Amino acid sequence: MTDTAGVGGTPHETALLAGGPRAAVTVALVALHLRGAVEAGAPGTLRAVDGEAGRALPPLPPPGGGLEPPDGDTAGPADAVTSEVRAAYLESAVYHCLREPSEAAELVRDPVVRWAVAEVRVGLAEAGMLRYPLLRPTRAARRRLKTLRKAYPLPASRRELPDHQRLLAVALHGEAALRVVVPRFALRAGLTDRVSLRDKGLLRSSSRGGTYGGGGSHACGSGTGCGAGGGPD
């Protein structure tokens, strides 16, 4: 496996770099689903599940408020709010918006979710992964994605795959990975389309190109984008 030492970041950040806001929100949805906090609702929709996983998410700040690090103190130094904290707030925004069932496309347009995605962007810009003023991926970001895709190719099965690697697979390989790691959830929630057996071979080859290329454009907000074993699906 390729050496990934020094290649940091959360799957949410990786997805934002690879596929834009929708990809980042998709990773948040899968993360919440794997913890039992989100499930598929009526065909093509998602909904929050009332339980410990949802209550463990950080409370959203009031409009105009800043993020808070895990100790609860208002963030001061730039490094007080880590990429993991920003990812947790994105998941919290997604979860709270799903108290009312929603389609994924509607979710990405929600102002609270867009705010949380913007916070993830801030972290990436501070880390030199996005270039001002258009916040496009830098050369360092493209190198990161290339290194990660080489180190973590599309998995053949979700069996014995840790949750972090499931999320990373979705971030790097988009719809093709969704069909492997959470196939039933992704289909019922409208994150993937039904395909014929003939089409399945095309999905694996399509992952070498655009991460979420199989579903067309994933533009939203100010950016662009977006088996057997244990665990929910």
Side-chain angles (χ1 to χ4, degrees):
M1 179 176 289
T2 302
D3 181 13
T4 58
V7 180
T10 63
H12 312 63
E13 289 180 323
T14 298
L16 187 56
L17 290 174
R22 177 157 183 169
V25 170
T26 297
V27 166
L29 285 168
V30 174
L32 290 166
H33 173 67
L34 291 175
R35 300 202 301 273
V38 163
E39 64 184 8
T45 67
L46 304 110
R47 63 189 179 193
V49 177
D50 185 23
E52 289 301 320
R55 288 190 285 271
L57 293 166
L60 296 174
L67 300 186
E68 295 185 357
D71 61 10
D73 294 331
T74 300
D79 60 356
V81 179
T82 64
S83 58
E84 289 77 16
V85 170
R86 296 182 193 278
Y89 275 101
L90 174 56
E91 292 178 5
S92 184
V94 168
Y95 178 81
H96 283 85
C97 289
L98 286 177
R99 288 176 172 174
E100 293 292 334
S102 174
E103 296 180 0
E106 296 173 348
L107 187 65
V108 178
R109 292 192 293 266
D110 186 275
V112 176
V113 173
R114 292 179 64 179
W115 162 81
V117 170
E119 288 294 335
V120 177
R121 276 202 188 98
V122 168
L124 286 169
E126 291 174 348
M129 296 291 110
L130 292 176
R131 180 174 60 253
Y132 290 105
L134 300 179
L135 294 181
R136 297 187 184 280
T138 62
R139 185 175 301 176
R142 293 192 292 272
R143 283 199 301 268
R144 174 193 283 190
L145 292 174
K146 182 178 180 180
T147 297
L148 288 173
R149 285 193 176 113
K150 186 174 182 180
Y152 299 98
L154 179 67
S157 169
R158 65 176 180 165
R159 183 175 297 170
E160 299 181 1
L161 199 64
D163 284 355
H164 179 80
Q165 288 190 26
R166 296 188 190 197
L167 297 180
L168 193 55
V170 173
L172 293 169
H173 304 291
E175 288 190 18
L178 287 170
R179 297 179 192 278
V180 174
V181 300
V182 284
R184 290 185 293 276
F185 168 71
L187 181 60
R188 293 169 182 167
L191 300 178
T192 57
D193 297 324
R194 293 186 181 275
V195 295
S196 66
L197 291 176
R198 171 181 167 276
D199 294 330
K200 287 186 177 180
L202 300 177
L203 292 172
R204 195 171 298 273
S205 62
S206 70
S207 68
R208 301 190 189 103
T211 304
Y212 285 74
S217 173
H218 292 272
C220 192
S222 58
T224 59
C226 183
D233 181 20

